[in-house]
Amino acid sequence: MLTLDKIYHAAFVLKDIARRTDLIEAPLLSKDCHLYLKTENLQVTGSFKVRGAYYKISQLSEEERSRGVIACSAGNHAQGVALAATRRGIKSIVCMPDGAPIMKVENTKNLGAEVCLVPGTYDDAHDKAVELQAETGMTFIHPYDDELVIAGQGTIGLEILDQLPDLDAVIVPIGGGGLIAGIAFTIKSLRPEVKVYGVQAAGAPSMYQSVQQHKYQTLDAASTFADGIQVKTPGELTYEMCEKYVDEVVTVSEDEIAAAILSLMENQKLVAEGAGAVPVAAALFHKLPIQGKKVVCVVSGGNIDVNILSRVITRGLVMSGRKSNLTIALEDKPGQLTKVSRIVAECGGNVVSVQYDGSDPDMPISSCFLKLGMETRDAAQIEQIRTELAKAGFQLVAERT
């Protein structure tokens, strides 16, 4: 049974291993509430997961340690297990989905674990780990549905209450539910009036659907670039704890997650992976009743693949109205591009690419499509440009992103 004593004991065990990550104010991220960020993306392995993994492994018996440990992970739990096992001289094997970011795979190997890549998602990696555990007799370190792992994650709740005693709410990402279960149990046990909100990716809403329908369930599929929370089946224990201690669970879209990652980079100089950015996305896009409140977003990790980050930045620019495309149907004659460019410039936009297309068979021979790529300030400026172009007689065909 999870108790506050176990969470305080976990904090004692972790004091020389896990960082007491900073809680920083983020006034540029939201004008509607007083927003703070719990920066677990700056944790020793780039994620909160080391807390639960290390505490669980620290409590193994001598006989369990001698058999070695095995785990399944999308990447962050893998690094926590690898670090904890290596520090204690224990052999470790981690099963990871073959689509896990290369950085997470390589970091896990560098921390001393043997990595077994499994085709499919996290759930397929879980099944493989269970199979190997039965064959080898190694000790299974579950990433979230384990009382001691949850206790380790709960130490974040203790730190938040110490760093911001008068907070009103905390927003936490949910994959399998270990992080929110630990934080919610801790905060509700010590400050029951504080709201605890959970956030999932809309493409992987396993806990959201379970809580909404008050029935533990498994998704047919889970799809999101936030690989750390791409989980089809939440934990049974964590589901029960979410039902009891979590006030509300919401979802955010892929574009909203991308915009949150971009906003964290631009305004706070913080790099967050998709899972780490979902609480900020929920705050930015008004998914929760937090207006005027002191709110902590748990930025759970920062281990994002640089190739994914490049795509995310582009999507984030589009979502926030910083990058846009316009397609204009116009008469093919001299001076047209000059007129269009002048209107864009007068509205404060910047044309960064121009494509001329006169080959569309549905267009008159004397006409063409002019496709513009623009840098803009926000969605309002894009609309201003569209309005001024229309006033000048230009026909806007579509805005394509």
Side-chain angles (χ1 to χ4, degrees):
M1 179 179 176
L2 185 63
T3 63
L4 275 178
D5 283 345
K6 286 182 181 175
I7 294 172
Y8 279 109
H9 183 249
F12 175 77
V13 170
L14 292 169
K15 64 184 177 64
D16 294 324
I17 300 298
R19 289 179 183 146
R20 187 179 191 270
T21 52
D22 290 335
L23 185 73
I24 62 175
E25 193 171 2
L28 297 178
L29 289 181
S30 176
K31 296 178 181 178
D32 298 326
C33 66
H34 306 290
L35 200 64
Y36 297 79
L37 306 174
K38 180 60 172 167
T39 54
E40 285 295 297
N41 58 318
L42 303 180
Q43 191 51 263
V44 288
T45 56
S47 162
F48 75 96
K49 286 284 191 178
V50 68
R51 295 175 183 259
Y54 193 93
Y55 184 57
K56 171 67 176 180
I57 290 173
S58 75
Q59 302 305 295
L60 297 178
S61 67
E62 184 60 43
E63 196 240 331
E64 288 172 322
R65 291 196 295 270
S66 68
R67 296 200 304 263
V69 297
I70 188 166
C72 54
S73 172
N76 287 333
H77 180 62
Q79 294 172 73
V81 168
L83 181 147
T86 300
R87 289 277 185 98
R88 291 179 169 265
I90 301 171
K91 179 183 178 181
S92 61
I93 297 176
V94 181
C95 295
M96 303 175 68
D98 58 358
I102 295 172
M103 177 187 66
K104 291 183 178 181
V105 175
E106 292 305 311
N107 286 350
T108 302
K109 292 178 181 178
N110 292 337
L111 287 167
E114 177 185 334
V115 173
C116 174
L117 292 177
V118 181
T121 65
Y122 160 80
D123 298 86
D124 299 300
H126 172 270
D127 294 343
K128 181 64 175 180
V130 171
E131 177 187 324
L132 290 176
Q133 191 274 334
E135 293 175 3
T136 62
M138 300 177 86
T139 302
F140 186 67
I141 310 297
H142 200 284
Y144 49 83
D145 211 25
D146 181 283
E147 185 179 282
L148 295 179
V149 170
I150 293 170
Q153 324 305 22
T155 60
I156 297 172
L158 293 178
E159 292 178 12
I160 290 172
L161 290 176
D162 184 53
Q163 292 166 318
L164 191 66
D166 59 342
L167 83 158
D168 297 303
V170 59
I171 310 176
V172 187
I174 304 178
L179 176 61
I180 195 167
I183 291 176
F185 176 83
T186 303
I187 289 179
K188 290 296 187 178
S189 297
L190 296 170
R191 290 280 310 282
E193 73 278 10
V194 174
K195 298 292 186 181
V196 179
Y197 299 118
V199 189
Q200 289 203 292
S206 56
M207 188 69 81
Y208 171 79
Q209 290 192 8
S210 296
V211 169
Q212 287 288 311
Q213 299 176 27
H214 303 290
K215 180 182 177 183
Y216 177 76
Q217 56 189 280
T218 297
L219 301 174
D220 293 330
S223 177
T224 174
F225 78 87
D227 56 282
I229 53 174
Q230 188 179 3
V231 178
K232 290 192 289 187
T233 306
E236 293 185 45
L237 175 58
T238 59
Y239 162 67
E240 293 173 4
M241 295 182 71
C242 281
E243 282 277 25
K244 186 174 182 179
Y245 298 110
V246 175
D247 293 284
E248 186 178 354
V249 179
V250 298
T251 64
V252 290
S253 71
E254 300 293 276
D255 282 339
E256 288 167 344
I257 299 170
I261 291 174
L262 181 63
S263 187
L264 282 166
M265 291 180 63
E266 279 201 308
N267 295 309
Q268 297 300 143
K269 311 302 180 268
L270 290 175
V271 175
E273 60 188 277
V278 295
V280 175
L284 287 179
F285 292 96
H286 314 292
K287 299 299 178 84
L288 293 163
I290 55 175
Q291 291 75 18
K293 306 295 186 182
K294 283 192 175 182
V295 182
V296 173
C297 288
V298 179
V299 184
S300 60
N303 294 319
I304 187 169
D305 183 84
V306 291
N307 292 315
I308 295 295
L309 182 60
S310 175
R311 298 179 208 169
V312 164
I313 290 172
T314 299
R315 288 287 289 273
L317 288 170
V318 171
M319 183 66 186
S320 61
R322 303 280 300 282
K323 180 182 170 111
S324 60
N325 294 330
L326 290 179
T327 300
I328 306 168
L330 45 72
E331 187 177 355
D332 189 5
K333 63 181 183 181
Q336 295 287 72
L337 178 58
T338 300
K339 292 178 182 178
V340 170
S341 298
R342 184 182 301 116
I343 291 171
V344 173
E346 288 173 351
C347 291
N350 182 36
V351 176
V352 294
S353 67
V354 178
Q355 182 181 354
Y356 168 92
D357 182 4
S359 62
D360 193 304
D362 295 327
M363 291 285 290
I365 291 177
S366 61
S367 298
C368 67
F369 282 127
L370 182 66
K371 301 177 182 179
L372 300 182
M374 302 184 299
E375 291 177 343
T376 44
R377 183 177 58 250
D378 52 28
Q381 188 179 47
I382 296 171
E383 189 56 36
Q384 180 191 7
I385 292 170
R386 293 173 63 86
T387 299
E388 293 303 320
L389 286 170
K391 285 181 181 178
F394 292 106
Q395 180 185 352
L396 300 173
V397 176
E399 183 175 335
R400 301 173 185 175
T401 56

